[in-house]
Amino acid sequence: MDKDYNYTLAEVRLCRAKELLDDAKNLLDKQSYKSANNRAFYAMEKAVRALLVLEDTEPQTHNGVLKQFNYLFIFKGTGFFTQNDYQILAKSEQIRNASDYDDFYLASKEESTQQIENATYIVGKIEKYISGLQ
């Protein structure tokens, strides 16, 4: 893929990440905590996919997205992203899985609020990183 295309795709993905984050906030206001957890995770995942496309990387699974982020931006990275950033993403995926698939999982307002705060942080940090590349 060419560089201009990748930057355009990254911008589109960041825009979608922000929409998903807004959806999460609206769901939190409606006390739909499991759905808010889902949207918060997908906001982060979409933002990470924006990063990965700049490295010509298109993982096919959520796990692949996390592994590639960890490898390319933490292990081989510049120090901008930290192990804590990876831990936030990994924990968010666990909470999203429980929210989506565990019938007896009880999501709380506090948990969903934290998920949204984490998503706001990750999406914002990724947006800052990408804007610094251009």
Side-chain angles (χ1 to χ4, degrees):
M1 288 190 234
D2 81 26
K3 186 177 176 179
D4 289 338
Y5 175 83
N6 287 1
Y7 273 102
T8 299
L9 183 54
E11 289 175 18
V12 167
R13 288 179 178 176
L14 276 176
C15 183
R16 180 66 178 139
K18 291 178 201 174
E19 289 174 8
L20 291 164
L21 187 53
D22 286 342
D23 290 347
K25 291 173 184 175
N26 290 332
L27 288 162
L28 176 67
D29 290 342
K30 293 178 182 178
Q31 299 178 352
S32 185
Y33 304 130
K34 287 183 177 184
S35 295
N37 291 342
N38 173 289
R39 298 290 82 186
F41 168 75
Y42 280 109
M44 288 185 265
E45 194 242 7
K46 189 62 79 174
V48 172
R49 284 185 177 276
L51 271 178
L52 294 176
V53 76
L54 298 177
E55 297 289 324
D56 284 328
T57 302
E58 290 283 356
Q60 298 301 309
T61 65
H62 301 309
N63 192 30
V65 168
L66 294 178
K67 284 183 176 182
Q68 286 299 306
F69 173 76
N70 192 37
Y71 178 68
L72 293 171
F73 291 95
I74 297 172
F75 180 72
K76 287 180 59 178
T78 63
F80 187 86
F81 294 102
T82 67
Q83 189 64 33
N84 185 59
D85 297 332
Y86 173 78
Q87 293 300 324
I88 288 170
L89 291 162
K91 180 68 174 173
S92 179
E93 183 184 31
Q94 291 173 350
I95 291 170
R96 196 270 315 167
N97 278 330
S99 293
D100 287 355
Y101 301 114
D102 184 346
D103 294 329
F104 295 104
Y105 185 73
L106 297 175
S108 68
K109 180 178 182 179
E110 294 76 23
E111 174 186 75
S112 295
T113 299
Q114 184 62 55
Q115 288 293 95
I116 290 168
E117 287 174 9
N118 289 343
T120 300
Y121 164 75
I122 292 291
V123 171
K125 190 168 186 177
I126 289 171
E127 184 175 35
K128 181 178 178 181
Y129 180 85
I130 290 174
S131 68
L133 296 175
Q134 298 176 346

